[in-house]
Amino acid sequence: MTTIQDHWLTLADGNKMPQEGLGTYKLTDQAAMTQAIQAAYETGYRLIDTAQLYENETVLGNAIKSLGAPRDQYFITTKVAEKNQGYQTAIDSVKESLKKLQLDYVDLLLVHWPIQNHFFETWRAFEDMKKQGLTRSIGVSNFGIAHLELLATQANERPVVNQVERHPGLNQLALLNYHRNHGIVTQAWSPLARGKYQDTPVLKAIAEHHHKSVAQVILRWHLQGGVAIIPKSSHHERIQANADLYDFELSNAEMNQINQLNRFARTGREPELVFENNEQYQR
């Protein structure tokens, strides 16, 4: 039987990324962060996701340091906030993030939300930061197809990851298909939609059939669709349960049943509105 540590995805730039990681949104307490990182690492998680907007890079850096693991044994993602977009501002902000994280580089650097201001120069900064060794890979978050197409008109290197909201109520199948055709890995934030679908009859029936929880069925649906996931939790038991996904498989019929739950229902903002209004939005 495979485990969470066996599931890595090869990015378009040749680097490898764990398919499952730990999200840290709203996790700002030092003790809670340290315990969560320790539990995740012991369970087999190797990817930890943060962002400048989460305001927890410092506590995450302390937690990583206390872990004492070799640098090549964990994968760190952070994201540049809207207020820090722009060529030099982005570079300066990432250097500050690295100080907070107590790292020489991050494994993956993402543009957190697409905004019109500094759209192209921010990406140019990302390409240069990769050359400078501040990050191993570069990608985006919350980009739609139109944003990716616009970026491609001037980018020298395409994003290797697009981290987007995705769950049964928002399956993003058109975007996933676009990503596959352009060598972009889809990574889902809010993969469980904050528990919104816990009582959905179809999901409960599938879960009962496999002797799993509804959350585990949803996470397995993501994985079998080739999607990377970063479920968030600070509870040891839930961290372990979210990694207990590799001893069962959903049938094609079950995958289709879950796909049919799509209602284009977001828990977060519509990226196009953020783009048009140059808004700062936290998630």
Side-chain angles (χ1 to χ4, degrees):
M1 184 184 74
T2 61
T3 68
I4 185 174
Q5 292 189 59
D6 300 313
H7 290 258
W8 291 65
L9 300 173
T10 300
L11 305 177
D13 61 8
N15 292 325
K16 293 184 181 297
M17 181 183 81
Q19 189 172 7
E20 182 174 2
L22 181 73
T24 64
Y25 178 56
K26 290 190 174 181
L27 191 53
T28 56
D29 177 76
Q30 185 64 71
M33 177 70 83
T34 300
Q35 291 173 7
I37 297 304
Q38 184 70 40
Y41 192 81
E42 290 175 354
T43 302
Y45 291 76
R46 291 297 178 264
L47 186 155
I48 309 296
D49 178 273
T50 185
Q52 293 172 351
L53 275 175
Y54 300 171
E55 297 184 345
N56 64 5
E57 290 173 318
T58 297
V59 293
L60 175 57
N62 292 336
I64 293 169
K65 185 176 181 180
S66 69
L67 195 62
R71 178 64 184 92
D72 62 359
Q73 291 300 302
Y74 52 88
F75 185 110
I76 303 297
T77 300
T78 197
K79 313 176 195 76
V80 170
E82 295 86 288
K83 67 178 182 179
N84 293 328
Q85 291 196 32
Y87 184 81
Q88 194 58 49
T89 311
I91 293 173
D92 291 343
S93 75
V94 170
K95 289 180 177 178
E96 183 62 27
S97 289
L98 290 173
K99 287 181 183 178
K100 292 177 178 178
L101 291 165
Q102 303 177 55
L103 299 175
D104 295 325
Y105 66 90
V106 290
D107 298 275
L108 177 62
L109 184 66
L110 304 178
V111 181
H112 203 153
W113 284 86
I115 58 173
Q116 291 186 67
N117 288 350
H118 315 296
F119 185 78
F120 293 112
E121 58 181 305
T122 297
W123 189 250
R124 184 164 56 88
F126 272 50
E127 291 175 334
D128 287 350
M129 283 188 281
K130 182 180 177 183
K131 293 174 185 175
Q132 295 166 19
L134 301 181
T135 182
R136 293 279 180 86
S137 297
I138 54 177
V140 295
S141 181
N142 301 302
F143 276 46
I145 293 174
H147 306 124
L148 294 168
E149 288 281 281
L150 179 62
L151 189 62
T153 64
Q154 293 191 27
N156 295 311
E157 181 177 343
R158 276 186 178 269
V160 296
V161 171
N162 187 14
Q163 185 185 113
V164 297
E165 180 180 353
R166 195 215 185 215
H167 45 72
L170 184 69
N171 64 32
Q172 301 269 32
L173 292 185
L175 184 60
L176 261 66
N177 188 55
Y178 178 90
H179 287 167
R180 290 190 192 102
N181 290 337
H182 292 87
I184 301 171
V185 168
T186 307
Q187 188 177 54
W189 65 257
S190 196
L192 297 171
R194 303 171 186 171
K196 187 176 181 180
Y197 300 97
Q198 283 297 113
D199 296 321
T200 302
V202 168
L203 294 173
K204 290 174 72 174
I206 295 173
E208 185 175 342
H209 173 73
H210 290 282
H211 306 289
K212 291 289 182 177
S213 69
V214 167
Q216 288 169 326
V217 165
I218 293 173
L219 294 177
R220 182 69 198 183
W221 166 72
H222 286 291
L223 294 178
Q224 285 186 217
V227 174
I229 53 174
I230 45 169
K232 186 210 84 171
S233 182
S234 58
H235 303 289
H236 197 152
E237 290 183 0
R238 198 170 301 158
I239 287 171
Q240 290 180 319
N242 287 345
D244 186 18
L245 310 173
Y246 304 96
D247 59 350
F248 76 108
E249 186 170 334
L250 301 175
S251 67
N252 288 336
E254 290 169 333
M255 291 288 289
N256 288 331
Q257 283 181 295
I258 299 173
N259 285 338
Q260 289 169 14
L261 295 174
N262 181 59
R263 297 295 181 271
F264 302 99
R266 293 186 180 274
T267 64
R269 287 290 304 278
E270 166 58 55
E272 193 59 46
L273 295 177
V274 178
F275 178 76
E276 291 176 354
N277 299 322
N278 293 306
E279 294 179 1
Q280 183 166 315
Y281 181 69
Q282 175 130 343
R283 173 62 231 199

